[in-house]
Amino acid sequence: MISLTLIGSIIGINVVYVSIFSLRLILMIKGRRGIASLLAMLEVFVYLLGLNLVLQNLDNPFNMAAYCLGFGLGVYAGSRIEEYLALGYIVVQVIVNSVETNLAMSLREKGYGVTAWEADGKDGKRLVLQVLVKRKNERRLMESLSKMSPQAFIISHEPKSFKGGFWVRLTEGRKLKL
């Protein structure tokens, strides 16, 4: 007999379990071991609840299918939650064709820490800007860049760590207004 309540419970528990698992893994990668350890305890508790439920009801293949469906939905939900939280920082490198642009100053006026230097490109001199920004502010920075310099070549990546400079001084005492 198929119990929709049981199937719903299995799916729900697995979505919660795998979402927590995804967040814990991301937090571990980002070096937030304390929060990750707390999530690990919650994760195992939820996992055992779900596994116990499935193991007690192995006679019905729909229960195992519900477990698999919940696992897949949990991966998706965990990634969406992490995207929403936007933990950490990114480094955005911007390369523009004109060395004579005021782009660096404009970004600084918006509160971004910008390091700029002249570089040699295939077709001449270029201006290279490097901007460190919280991931939650990435979209706002990208929108500003596309308005101020639509032809810019932009690369972004996530730094593992950083030390010193403009950003560290801001995070130690003052708040950056973006």
Side-chain angles (χ1 to χ4, degrees):
M1 175 185 253
I2 297 172
S3 168
L4 294 179
T5 304
L6 179 61
I7 288 174
S9 297
I10 292 169
I11 291 171
I13 286 172
N14 234 15
V15 167
V16 171
Y17 155 64
V18 179
S19 296
I20 294 170
F21 170 83
S22 299
L23 287 174
R24 177 189 55 82
L25 186 61
I26 290 164
L27 288 167
M28 284 295 297
I29 291 168
K30 293 184 181 292
R32 297 188 179 185
R33 293 178 190 97
I35 297 171
S37 297
L38 292 173
L39 278 178
M41 290 185 283
L42 180 61
E43 173 192 338
V44 168
F45 177 75
V46 173
Y47 171 74
L48 291 174
L49 282 176
L51 189 62
N52 184 43
L53 210 52
V54 170
L55 290 177
Q56 287 179 1
N57 297 284
L58 280 177
D59 57 328
N60 189 336
F62 288 104
N63 296 339
M64 289 183 280
Y67 189 86
C68 296
L69 177 63
F71 198 95
L73 290 173
V75 169
Y76 179 79
S79 69
R80 296 294 294 191
I81 291 168
E82 194 282 331
E83 188 177 290
Y84 173 78
L85 294 174
L87 302 169
Y89 300 86
I90 61 160
V91 172
V92 177
Q93 187 173 64
V94 184
I95 303 171
V96 292
N97 290 339
S98 174
V99 178
E100 304 300 322
T101 182
N102 289 328
L103 184 58
M105 188 56 65
S106 297
L107 290 172
R108 288 181 186 123
E109 287 170 359
K110 290 181 175 285
Y112 295 103
V114 180
T115 301
W117 64 91
E118 191 177 300
D120 293 320
K122 178 183 170 243
D123 296 322
K125 298 290 183 192
R126 302 285 187 258
L127 181 64
V128 179
L129 303 136
Q130 187 163 303
V131 185
L132 179 68
V133 65
K134 288 184 177 182
R135 275 190 56 221
K136 68 180 179 181
N137 296 322
E138 178 181 12
R139 180 171 287 146
R140 190 176 313 149
L141 173 62
M142 294 300 186
E143 288 169 359
S144 294
L145 288 170
S146 66
K147 287 177 187 169
M148 292 187 276
S149 187
Q151 301 300 318
F153 177 66
I154 302 170
I155 304 168
S156 68
H157 60 89
E158 204 168 336
K160 182 173 166 76
S161 64
F162 54 89
K163 178 182 172 186
F166 168 81
W167 195 260
V168 173
R169 285 193 306 272
L170 283 177
T171 58
E172 287 174 351
R174 302 182 309 266
K175 296 291 180 192
L176 183 62
K177 295 177 185 175
L178 296 177

